[in-house]
Amino acid sequence: MVKLTVCFWVLLVVGLGVGEAQEAQWMAVLVNGKKVGYYKKTRVANADSVVTTELMTYEIDAGTDKVELLSVSETVETALGKLIRFRKESVQKDLKRRVLGHVVGDTLHVAGVVNDQKSLKMLDWYDDVQMVEGRRLQALKHGLKPGTKYHARKFMVDFMAIVEVSVEVHEPVDVQLIDRVERLTETRERLQMHGQTLNSISYRNDQMRPMK
């Protein structure tokens, strides 16, 4: 079984101007303990919106072939975590994909391009559906007390679907990062989508930042 891990590297927080702040986090992408790429997340907050940019790139040897991915996304939300618009572009081998979406009332308008094939969709949108900033604010609200449980609805761009997410906070544990061992709180998520269940585990520090 191939184990894909994203592990904390470095964090940078800077001021941009009145009412603005930028936070950048780099994380290494590991497969079975070997670094194969990196992930960078940048969050820029101002008075009326939050822009989150995520970049991931990796290269994995798969026998006689290689699996390569470059993915860049930008999500713009209100200061309260409500989606305004998003953009995601990815390249994997011969497949190039670009998706743009924006919310108008209770409708999400989505324009997509896969190689040269274009598509337009309109999806029902709900006020409680979250993306990046919305999930961050919800995590801050509930905190990291062991035993805490809560639910959310998250929009996943890759699947063009709203998924049900169950979150459960576990006890702090010692976690091996790239250059040190750190005591972090284990958080488990269970995603329900199309009758299937996907499980993930993350480890957060006292500032609620995922470190692994």
Side-chain angles (χ1 to χ4, degrees):
M1 181 179 69
V2 175
K3 182 179 180 181
L4 179 65
T5 306
V6 181
C7 192
F8 175 79
W9 187 359
V10 66
L11 174 73
L12 174 66
V13 180
V14 299
L16 297 179
V18 178
E20 294 186 345
Q22 175 172 310
E23 178 180 304
Q25 185 175 20
W26 284 264
M27 303 181 83
V29 178
L30 310 175
V31 172
N32 295 335
K34 178 182 178 182
K35 182 180 175 183
V36 296
Y38 70 92
Y39 166 86
K40 179 185 177 183
K41 180 178 180 180
T42 304
R43 176 180 177 272
V44 178
N46 54 50
D48 57 1
S49 66
V50 177
V51 181
T52 305
T53 304
E54 298 171 277
L55 182 150
M56 178 180 281
T57 179
Y58 63 75
E59 180 180 302
I60 303 173
D61 288 322
T64 58
D65 201 0
K66 287 186 178 181
V67 178
E68 297 176 296
L69 174 71
L70 173 62
S71 174
V72 180
S73 65
E74 180 185 81
T75 308
V76 182
E77 296 160 271
T78 69
L80 296 177
K82 305 300 181 183
L83 178 65
I84 300 173
R85 64 182 182 274
F86 68 80
R87 170 182 63 88
K88 183 168 185 178
E89 300 181 33
S90 63
V91 178
Q92 188 169 11
K93 204 170 182 180
D94 297 327
L95 184 64
K96 296 180 180 180
R97 186 184 183 203
R98 185 173 189 235
V99 183
L100 302 172
H102 67 279
V103 175
V104 180
D106 58 359
T107 303
L108 176 64
H109 297 253
V110 181
V113 180
V114 179
N115 291 340
D116 295 325
Q117 300 297 315
K118 298 181 180 180
S119 65
L120 295 172
K121 292 182 180 180
M122 289 190 294
L123 306 173
D124 292 335
W125 191 255
Y126 306 92
D127 189 61
D128 64 338
V129 177
Q130 302 168 342
M131 288 192 69
V132 186
E133 182 66 9
R135 293 296 313 280
R136 190 187 77 87
L137 293 175
Q138 186 186 44
L140 288 172
K141 175 183 176 182
H142 288 281
L144 290 175
K145 183 179 178 180
T148 298
K149 298 180 181 180
Y150 56 94
H151 299 274
R153 295 209 291 173
K154 173 184 177 181
F155 183 73
M156 298 186 69
V157 177
D158 289 338
F159 300 102
M160 283 292 115
I162 296 171
V163 301
E164 301 289 334
V165 183
S166 299
V167 181
E168 183 173 350
V169 180
H170 288 249
E171 295 286 343
V173 294
D174 292 330
V175 178
Q176 178 66 60
L177 301 179
I178 292 177
D179 58 351
R180 66 188 185 278
V181 174
E182 190 168 330
R183 191 107 178 134
L184 303 171
T185 300
E186 179 178 311
T187 303
R188 299 189 180 189
E189 291 192 359
R190 175 173 294 181
L191 282 67
Q192 301 286 343
M193 181 177 61
H194 304 316
Q196 295 185 337
T197 300
L198 302 175
N199 296 298
S200 66
I201 299 176
S202 64
Y203 299 92
R204 297 175 179 270
N205 63 14
D206 292 340
Q207 289 74 47
M208 300 292 296
R209 295 190 182 98
M211 306 293 284
K212 189 174 184 179

